[in-house]
Amino acid sequence: MARIQNHKPQSFLPFLLFLLQLSSLLLPSSSYNLPDKYFINCGSDANITLPPRVFTGDLGSSNSGSFTFTKESSSPVKEDDNSTATQPLYQTARLFRKESFYGFQIDSNGTYLVRLHFFAFSSSPTNLSTAVFDVWASGLPLLRNFTVQNNSNSPVIKEFFLTIGIGEFQVIFSPQRATFSFVNAIEVFLAPESFIPPATTYVSLDRSNGTDYEGILSKALHTIHRINVGGSIVSPDQDTLGRNWIPDDRYLYNPDTARNSSMFAGQLSYLQGESRDIAPDYVYKTAKVMNIDKSGPSGRDVFINMTWSFNVNKDVRHFVRVHFCDFFSISLSFLQFNLYIYANFSSEINPYERVSKIAAPFHIDFVVDSDQSGLMNISIGPPQGSTSINSTSFLNGLEIMEIIGESDSQDNTSKHSKVNVPLVVGSVVGGLGALCILAVVVWLRLKFKRPKAVETVDWTAMPVYRGGSSQDRTLEGSIMASPVPNLNLELRISLAEIEAATNNFDLKMKIGRGGFGIVYKGTLENGTKVAVKRGEPGSGQGLPEFQTEILVLSKIRHRHLVSLIGYCDEKSEMILVYEFMENGTLRDHLYKSALPPLSWKQRLEICIGAANGLHYLHRGAAGGFIHRDVKSTNILLDENYVAKVADFGLSRLGGPDQTHVSTGVKGTFGYLDPDYFRTQLLTEKSDVYSFGVVLLEVLCARPALDTSLPPEQVNLAEWALFCKQKATLDEIVDPSIKSQIDPNSMRKFVETAEKCLQECGTDRCTMSDVLWDLEYSLQLQNTATRRETHEDSSSVINDASAAFVLPNARRLPSLDMTATDGDDMPTLSEDSAYTLDSEVFSQLKIEDAR
């Protein structure tokens, strides 16, 4: 009876506690302490400390009841060579021969961080790099057809954020293709409260932006990129969540647009509701700041956007988090700039509408659709037309996470409820019945839907990078081989014949490796020498590129385009077979190799051949194609040094009847048309620009981008045109050919390159014009009269009015099309993945072949 009398006053207690909890949200979030579970050292009885975590060996006797794993089908394995420099955590692993799991008892609802560590060492008789497997958790496919290649001797770490409810949480490993699965270490621990929001701003491809994307907590988030903008590496021991942050320089499109700020030495001012654990202080104390160009017209400042480009998977959604902290302003003032995602979304950033202090961190979240380009561009810049110094823009950090499906089974929903204010209140007031009922109601409303599988991308713990180099950027994914529809079946070659040609893919036959896989030299039954490009799981090139290459090359024949011998799509294979190019790539013979230098006449003939191939590609076949990745590694040389253009995986239909093709930007930095990059409108003049860069490579024998040089010399196109303007171009010409070049021949060659490199595409010449000009330059070289010894190539630049020696030159007619089969080319509906210099297949004789 007394309990009944006291019921009414006590019922007010939960409400008071709720108000108290709500008021705490108005204060800076309290410091987060990393939980002590779960951190598992798999296949070992040793405990290993990697601050801030202590990994417990799964063979330890004290672990009974804390977590479980399938023992019947598993076995611990250990690296054979204990004398290596491999970290102790990666010297052991647990291997599973059939579908198995690790199970973890979860005692608190919330968002959990799940990390899986993989390092493929050799353990007799098993080589872990041969494993192919899936990983599932909460009904979600975290990894599909996953394999590990530790080429850099660094572990591969796959990181996910999942909402997990009270009960047993299982991570399931499922071997594929009659192999096995393995894992070296596992982390499962509770993230800070409200770390992932239930909804945020949605950025869609159809420009219907501004709405919220809901249900994030019912998905898994897979970390793809985590960037410390303007700073250095932030290692796991410097982050309360054990995360790794890498510098942004390798992703910055134009380094001249940005500068690193000095490290902030003061105290950060965290404001109400902003968690101190969203990102470490190291991220907020560094930034990239807009580099204002003081050399604009009439001495006015010029403001250019800072743009970062990131490889992402195609046609999936991503959770994007951007971090800001203005620690460099002298005082509170008006500061406004824009954040751009792709070219179809902008968000106004007004720091002091969000925070009221200097050096106050804040972050903004988005859900972003990716297109078929495999590339996500994010820019920071001033409002349109701004001329105020207050338009300075900045960025401190950036995270991109791929969103993986929804729950695959209604049975799994009992383990994965969402976290929100009612659940937080429930944790404060304990077992009060009313709040428990409320939590159940919320749980029922937030039940999960069915998922769809999404391919994943590796996130390495400490990736090797070279600042500013586009060659290090690779798109990682999984090849999903399948029979290719509507292709020329006459070109299909059996897997058995290819295996015979390459001695069963003997590594002794390997002539290159790149993003798609290994390239082998082979000999077919009829004695034809071939280059065999074999796709492999997790390579970063997939079915669309495979189809595009076959569709283009099976319909065109030209002396200056590389020939496709055949293809194979049996079982899980995707293999392309090309004619073997005995002398490798043009770049092989220009720089960074021990090969003898080409003569000036050879270089002219090679450029003419490549221009022939590109002109035919643009105008010679019905519809015409735009190559989209013209560069010196995509120009191959046969045994007679005849040039052939290669690698058509990025090609798009877009002939003379089309003014442009709207498409995501793809290509290789250093060769990329700036007009195309700005507008995302692709024309054949984009190929012309890239070819202009190749012409300068031929003349100067140096890379299109060389970050080892002073900043003004990094970009070859910009530096060469500057030298021409200053009449010093002869100083950067390849010394091995300088004495061979006729001045008039060089003048015409340089003028041709300059016409190719005009800023605006409409001002550039066509490939037909380029071809004629190069033929003219060769004729000038062949018919040059003897000159006095003091007349050398330097006079070409220094005396702009020097007279030409004009032989009997005539404008060339259209190319002879007898080399083609006459068929129309197909329309390509699939866009191709973004590829980089280190991934290109055409490097048939070097280790960077694609």
Side-chain angles (χ1 to χ4, degrees), residues 204-220:
S204 65
L205 293 176
D206 60 5
R207 299 176 182 262
S208 58
N209 303 308
T211 59
D212 276 353
Y213 179 91
E214 300 182 350
I216 299 174
L217 295 178
S218 66
K219 318 293 196 303

Side-chain angles (χ1 to χ4, degrees), residues 134-144 160 220 404-406 408 451-456:
D134 297 346
V135 180
W136 292 74
S138 303
L140 299 171
L142 303 186
L143 301 173
R144 301 298 301 270
F160 306 89
I404 298 178
E406 297 168 340
D408 190 28
K452 51 184 179 180
V454 180
E455 295 306 312
T456 58

Side-chain angles (χ1 to χ4, degrees), residues 311-330:
N311 295 318
V312 296
N313 272 353
K314 303 176 187 177
D315 298 323
V316 296
R317 289 176 178 145
H318 293 80
F319 179 82
V320 177
R321 172 167 286 175
V322 286
H323 301 268
F324 300 97
C325 182
D326 178 12
F327 56 78
F328 39 81
S329 294
I330 299 175

Side-chain angles (χ1 to χ4, degrees), residues 40-49 55-60 88-89 92:
I40 311 302
N41 180 16
C42 302
S44 174
D45 58 2
N47 295 343
I48 295 175
T49 300
F55 289 82
T56 303
D58 64 2
L59 297 178
L89 186 65
T92 63

Side-chain angles (χ1 to χ4, degrees), residues 587-746:
R587 187 174 73 170
D588 289 340
H589 299 267
L590 295 177
Y591 51 88
K592 294 184 178 179
S593 83
L595 297 173
L598 299 168
S599 69
W600 176 240
K601 184 179 178 182
Q602 282 180 306
R603 298 186 195 200
L604 284 173
E605 291 172 341
I606 289 168
C607 290
I608 291 168
N612 249 309
L614 289 172
H615 175 55
Y616 170 73
L617 197 67
H618 289 175
R619 302 297 179 97
F625 273 92
I626 303 170
H627 187 282
R628 241 193 334 182
D629 202 19
V630 176
K631 53 189 174 183
S632 59
T633 53
N634 280 345
I635 298 173
L636 307 185
L637 307 176
D638 70 9
E639 59 184 352
N640 297 315
Y641 291 92
V642 173
K644 302 194 180 190
V645 179
D647 201 331
F648 300 88
L650 292 182
S651 298
R652 286 295 302 272
L653 188 67
D657 295 333
Q658 289 183 273
T659 58
H660 68 267
V661 180
S662 297
T663 175
V665 177
K666 281 164 285 193
T668 301
F669 288 158
Y671 301 87
L672 196 59
D673 170 15
D675 206 15
Y676 171 36
F677 184 82
R678 281 193 304 268
T679 65
Q680 298 194 27
L681 302 179
L682 177 70
T683 72
E684 65 180 43
K685 297 296 184 69
S686 298
D687 283 352
V688 172
Y689 181 92
S690 302
F691 192 71
V693 179
V694 173
L695 294 180
L696 293 179
E697 279 188 275
V698 167
L699 182 65
C700 303
R702 56 146 286 188
L705 288 178
D706 189 344
T707 57
S708 66
L709 295 174
E712 68 274 10
Q713 301 179 26
V714 167
N715 186 294
L716 173 60
E718 294 176 0
W719 177 237
L721 294 181
F722 175 81
C723 290
K724 180 181 184 299
Q725 183 181 4
K726 298 297 183 181
T728 59
L729 184 60
D730 62 300
E731 297 178 5
I732 64 173
V733 172
D734 183 3
S736 70
I737 60 168
K738 187 180 293 188
S739 63
Q740 305 172 16
I741 307 177
D742 171 72
N744 289 321
S745 174
M746 179 174 171

Side-chain angles (χ1 to χ4, degrees), residues 116-340:
L116 307 175
H117 298 247
F118 303 97
F119 186 80
F121 57 72
S122 292
S123 177
S124 299
T126 304
N127 187 339
L128 298 186
S129 64
T130 63
V132 180
F133 54 96
D134 297 346
V135 180
W136 292 74
S138 303
L140 299 171
L142 303 186
L143 301 173
R144 301 298 301 270
N145 290 318
F146 179 63
T147 187
V148 183
Q149 302 291 332
N150 295 110
N151 296 325
S152 63
N153 290 322
S154 297
V156 174
I157 298 177
K158 311 291 286 185
E159 180 185 278
F160 306 89
F161 289 90
L162 296 93
T163 300
I164 304 176
I166 296 174
E168 186 182 52
F169 169 70
Q170 292 187 351
V171 180
I172 301 171
F173 298 85
S174 180
Q176 302 295 308
R177 305 181 194 173
T179 62
F180 58 91
S181 60
F182 76 95
V183 63
N184 300 81
I186 301 177
E187 301 175 61
V188 179
F189 62 90
L190 186 64
E193 293 178 2
S194 305
F195 191 82
I196 303 296
T200 194
T201 303
Y202 178 40
V203 179
S204 65
L205 293 176
D206 60 5
R207 299 176 182 262
S208 58
N209 303 308
T211 59
D212 276 353
Y213 179 91
E214 300 182 350
I216 299 174
L217 295 178
S218 66
K219 318 293 196 303
L221 303 182
H222 175 200
T223 302
I224 307 298
H225 300 286
R226 180 172 287 124
I227 309 298
N228 181 20
V229 178
S232 57
I233 289 176
V234 178
S235 57
D237 61 336
Q238 297 172 309
D239 186 300
T240 53
L241 299 180
R243 294 169 294 183
N244 188 76
W245 302 71
I246 66 171
D248 68 300
D249 298 301
R250 63 189 290 203
Y251 304 100
L252 189 63
Y253 173 64
N254 184 354
D256 293 337
T257 62
R259 59 180 174 85
N260 289 345
S261 64
S262 301
M263 171 77 76
F264 179 57
Q267 188 73 26
L268 297 178
S269 302
Y270 285 92
L271 298 183
Q272 298 174 352
E274 185 73 18
S275 171
R276 294 178 180 271
D277 306 298
I278 291 292
D281 287 359
Y282 295 98
V283 172
Y284 289 123
K285 288 186 174 184
T286 59
K288 272 281 194 308
V289 182
M290 183 171 61
N291 200 18
I292 302 174
D293 185 355
K294 299 289 186 180
S295 60
S298 303
R300 290 180 299 175
D301 295 340
V302 177
F303 301 86
I304 304 176
N305 290 350
M306 300 180 287
T307 300
W308 293 265
S309 297
F310 299 95
N311 295 318
V312 296
N313 272 353
K314 303 176 187 177
D315 298 323
V316 296
R317 289 176 178 145
H318 293 80
F319 179 82
V320 177
R321 172 167 286 175
V322 286
H323 301 268
F324 300 97
C325 182
D326 178 12
F327 56 78
F328 39 81
S329 294
I330 299 175
S331 61
L332 292 175
S333 61
F334 174 77
L335 181 60
Q336 176 183 320
F337 55 91
N338 286 345
L339 166 72
Y340 303 93

